[in-house]
Amino acid sequence: MRTIVTLPGDGIGKVVLDETIRVLNAAGFEAEYVEGDIGWEFWCNEGNPLPQRTLDLIAEHKISLFGAITSKPKDEAFGELSPDLKEKGLIYSSPIVGLRQHFGLDICLRPCRTYTGNPLNFIRRGPNDCIEEPEVDVAIFRQNTEGLYGGVEWSNPPEQVYDALMTHPKFKSNFGSAPVEDVSVSTRIFTKKYTERIVRAAFEHARKYGYKSVTVCEKPNVIRETSGMMYKMAQQIQKEDFHSIELWNTNIDAQMMWLTKNPENYGVIVAGNMFGDIVSDGFAGLIGGLGFACSAQYNPETGIGVFEPTHGSAPKYADYPVSIVNPIAMVESANMMLDFINEQDLAKKIKKAVADVVTEGKVRTYDMAKMSGRADVVKNGAASTTQMADAIIAKL
Ligand code: NAI
Ligand code: MG
């Protein structure tokens, strides 16, 4: 039997994960679950939100389902640290970013596909004032370990760094007159190995699932070195190995406009870390938002994969006596896990059950019912997290 590491984390992460495991069990997925410690509680009590024992568990079992964690700014994090740890010079950093870096989970896939009948679907005005509901079916490949989220940054950079920056004529002319203590630098580093890996993953996905295009969504006309490298590499890879798939090139800013104008035109999209984050949230908004946005992140060499909804811990809903949040993003993330471990039939079965519930429209969490997220929404007709999971189970 398979062992799956569960990483519930904080806030609503715990409930969406519990409900998802109920769905997996009901669908007949045979697995043993072991829970890994991650999140705020472990930062406060141990000074580490991602303890070594959790890393060991993931390294051993390879496949994890992750709920969500709470992150707070540095100073606030320090304030909540247990008093006996305050002298240790600990600095808080996000455990989910840490997890991606530690295991080199460089491929992040975020699919955004319209659910028929979802009242949250994007609509637009068409010719003669008719209302159109374009069908979105996009797979976003986000480079997950490098770029602007790579963590190589300084405020008041040390001397060698500052001196090196001063050797760049543009740094010297544009920033050279600012006092060094007023300068903050965040780097955007791309490497060939991981750029090639994300671009190839995007093309392979397009071929496997019959998408006609791969769009590089960056900004190569301005960010010439990094975005430029990704686009050039995509041109080469397309020419060598993927003739039948079209390669498109959009700028992130223009893409954010076009995705509401004609989202149905796009297939696979590939981007660096930050632009991938942005464009995937943009597309997620067209198919129902955070209650529906799922993701897979994995390292193709080691086979380690972490599957998680893109939403956070939503602390304001975490303490409601009856949980109201939508578990679909977490359930769909589990479906991505099933696909990854070659349990496609089970994944299909659960996907169909989710789609049936959404299309039927009888059971809707508060977000789908377009209510504001108060504790009394269930009294007013919205489904609770548990009732939504029950409805999915009933369709299996
Ligand atoms: P969030 O994603 O937790 O919540 C934002 C809002 O989206 C919620 O207030 C709620 O209205 C809605 N929402 C989120 N998940 C939903 C669901 N499943 N069903 C229905 N509605 C849902 O983002 P927020 O409030 O900015 O951050 C809260 C905490 O989560 C922060 O500490 C943040 O650092 C952390 N976070 C963690 C992430 C992760 O674990 N991967 C990702 C994003 C934020
Ligand atoms: Mg994001």
Side-chain angles (χ1 to χ4, degrees), residues 110 142 149 277-278 280-281 310:
R110 292 180 169 180
R142 165 195 181 191
Y149 300 174
D277 203 8
I278 293 172
S280 59
D281 271 15
T310 62

Side-chain angles (χ1 to χ4, degrees), residues 12 16 66-72 96 100 290-291 308-317 325-327 366-367:
I12 64 165
V16 292
F66 172 73
I69 47 90
T70 296
S71 269
K72 297 184 189 179
I96 182 65
R100 291 170 189 156
L290 289 173
E308 58 155 325
T310 62
H311 64 72
S313 60
K316 60 181 181 187
Y317 303 151
V325 295
N326 191 345
Y366 84 94
D367 51 328

Side-chain angles (χ1 to χ4, degrees), residues 36-342:
D37 296 335
I38 189 168
W40 201 245
E41 181 189 335
F42 303 97
W43 161 253
C44 297
N45 300 333
E46 300 176 23
N48 185 358
L50 180 58
Q52 183 61 42
R53 58 183 181 277
T54 304
L55 295 173
D56 294 343
L57 260 187
I58 298 169
E60 184 184 347
H61 300 296
K62 293 199 151 77
I63 303 296
S64 307
L65 284 173
F66 172 73
I69 47 90
T70 296
S71 269
K72 297 184 189 179
K74 254 200 242 169
D75 297 344
E76 219 174 304
F78 184 77
E80 291 190 32
L81 204 51
S82 147
D84 54 310
L85 295 170
K86 284 208 162 124
E87 306 302 311
K88 297 204 164 164
L90 301 167
I91 296 176
Y92 178 80
S93 67
S94 158
I96 182 65
V97 177
L99 205 58
R100 291 170 189 156
Q101 302 284 351
H102 181 86
F103 290 110
L105 306 175
D106 61 303
I107 310 286
C108 174
L109 168 57
R110 292 180 169 180
C112 295
R113 206 171 293 140
T114 299
Y115 294 81
T116 306
N118 188 351
L120 299 172
N121 286 345
F122 170 71
I123 53 173
R124 72 179 167 216
R125 209 174 291 281
N128 305 320
D129 269 359
C130 71
I131 297 297
E132 297 176 334
E133 192 172 319
E135 195 174 325
V136 179
D137 179 2
V138 161
I140 293 140
F141 280 80
R142 165 195 181 191
Q143 206 299 325
N144 214 28
T145 46
E146 302 193 326
L148 257 176
Y149 300 174
V152 183
E153 46 184 9
W154 302 269
S155 284
N156 188 7
E159 199 177 322
Q160 316 92 295
V161 174
Y162 187 76
D163 290 348
L165 289 168
M166 280 298 258
T167 65
H168 196 293
K170 287 220 170 111
F171 184 85
K172 200 168 174 191
S173 67
N174 294 340
F175 306 103
S177 63
V180 57
E181 61 274 17
D182 289 1
V183 173
S184 291
V185 184
S186 301
T187 63
R188 187 178 203 260
I189 302 171
F190 283 27
T191 63
K192 279 196 174 153
K193 174 175 173 182
Y194 292 105
T195 304
E196 172 162 7
R197 229 150 91 157
I198 194 74
V199 171
R200 277 198 182 276
F203 273 106
E204 273 155 19
H205 190 86
R207 178 147 70 196
K208 187 166 171 194
Y209 295 99
Y211 289 95
K212 74 172 201 285
S213 66
V214 168
T215 302
V216 174
C217 177
E218 278 282 322
K219 186 99 181 170
N221 54 332
V222 178
I223 315 175
R224 290 169 188 276
E225 301 306 326
T226 45
S227 294
M229 174 165 92
M230 183 176 277
Y231 184 54
K232 258 186 259 155
M233 209 166 232
Q235 284 176 303
Q236 196 183 339
I237 289 169
Q238 190 259 1
K239 206 165 116 198
E240 282 169 10
D241 298 324
F242 297 93
H243 307 265
S244 59
I245 297 163
E246 291 174 34
L247 172 62
W248 299 353
N249 175 27
T250 60
N251 288 336
I252 177 69
D253 48 345
Q255 180 72 73
M256 295 313 286
M257 177 181 60
W258 287 330
L259 68 77
T260 54
K261 247 181 125 204
N262 51 3
E264 69 273 42
N265 288 3
Y266 296 93
V268 175
I269 293 183
V270 59
N273 209 334
M274 185 188 197
F275 294 164
D277 203 8
I278 293 172
V279 76
S280 59
D281 271 15
F283 273 101
L286 306 179
I287 61 124
L290 289 173
F292 293 84
C294 54
S295 79
Q297 28 192 0
Y298 56 92
N299 178 325
E301 269 168 85
T302 61
I304 292 180
V306 177
F307 302 83
E308 58 155 325
T310 62
H311 64 72
S313 60
K316 60 181 181 187
Y317 303 151
D319 296 326
Y320 285 3
V322 175
S323 172
I324 64 165
V325 295
N326 191 345
I328 289 179
M330 182 81 239
V331 171
E332 292 286 21
S333 302
N335 286 334
M336 297 185 79
M337 172 194 80
L338 293 173
D339 275 334
F340 189 76
I341 60 176
N342 283 320

